[in-house]
Amino acid sequence: ALELVGAAPVNQEKVMIAFPDETRNKQIGGAKTLLGTMGNVNGERIQFLCNGDKHGIPAEKGKTLFFKGSDLNLKFQVKMFKKGYFELLGRVSEVEDAGDGNVRVTVKFVAITDSDRMALTQFAEDMEFLKRQLPR
């Protein structure tokens, strides 16, 4: 919880990750919440890095925990667009080794309210607009 406090750019925001099934919870030593670092997000999906070294989970095991088609419970903030947390169910669409013990996980949302989808879509569009406005 302490890692979630404070303002940070989106690529430093934390994502709380929980497995909804007992099999993967047993693999990590019980029902724990893992922390990932958000890479990007929009109204359809989120991408984050997860480094399991803190929990004794090497990247190769991380790739099996986040297997394609598996469900994840996610909780994260995008403070510019919502005061509280987004709490969403997602399904892993891609997982890859990102080096340094990290796995990069892409998750498509399968349970999201219309208002949350609109807020995240607006956030992504605003970030894209800002990128185009900045001088190169």
Side-chain angles (χ1 to χ4, degrees), residues 7 16 19 25-26 29 32 45 48 52 55-56 65-66 77 85 89 91 98 102 108 116-117 123 126 128 136:
M16 292 184 279
F19 300 112
N25 283 321
K26 285 180 183 176
K32 296 180 186 174
R45 64 175 179 74
F48 60 85
H55 304 286
L65 287 172
F66 296 107
Q77 282 185 300
Y85 291 91
L89 174 66
R91 188 159 293 133
N102 289 298
K108 291 190 176 186
D116 282 352
R117 186 179 307 279
F123 170 76
D126 289 355
E128 194 58 40
R136 295 195 184 260

Side-chain angles (χ1 to χ4, degrees), residues 7-11 13 77-84 86 119 122-124 126-127 130:
V10 69
N11 64 349
E13 290 284 356
Q77 282 185 300
V78 179
K79 294 174 186 155
M80 292 180 273
F81 279 82
K82 187 175 180 178
K83 201 172 202 175
F86 291 93
Q122 186 64 54
F123 170 76
D126 289 355
M127 290 297 103
L130 286 174

Side-chain angles (χ1 to χ4, degrees), residues 37-105:
T37 304
M38 189 182 308
N40 59 53
V41 64
N42 63 32
E44 302 295 322
R45 64 175 179 74
I46 187 171
Q47 189 174 67
F48 60 85
L49 290 176
C50 187
N51 187 319
D53 288 345
K54 293 179 186 177
H55 304 286
I57 303 168
E60 201 54 46
K61 186 175 181 180
K63 285 172 38 179
T64 62
L65 287 172
F66 296 107
F67 64 91
K68 186 175 181 174
S70 64
D71 289 343
L72 300 175
N73 293 318
L74 304 169
K75 185 175 180 179
F76 60 92
Q77 282 185 300
V78 179
K79 294 174 186 155
M80 292 180 273
F81 279 82
K82 187 175 180 178
K83 201 172 202 175
Y85 291 91
F86 291 93
E87 295 187 52
L88 306 170
L89 174 66
R91 188 159 293 133
V92 175
S93 62
E94 190 176 337
V95 61
E96 61 187 340
D97 190 333
D100 294 330
N102 289 298
V103 290
R104 180 176 297 109
V105 183

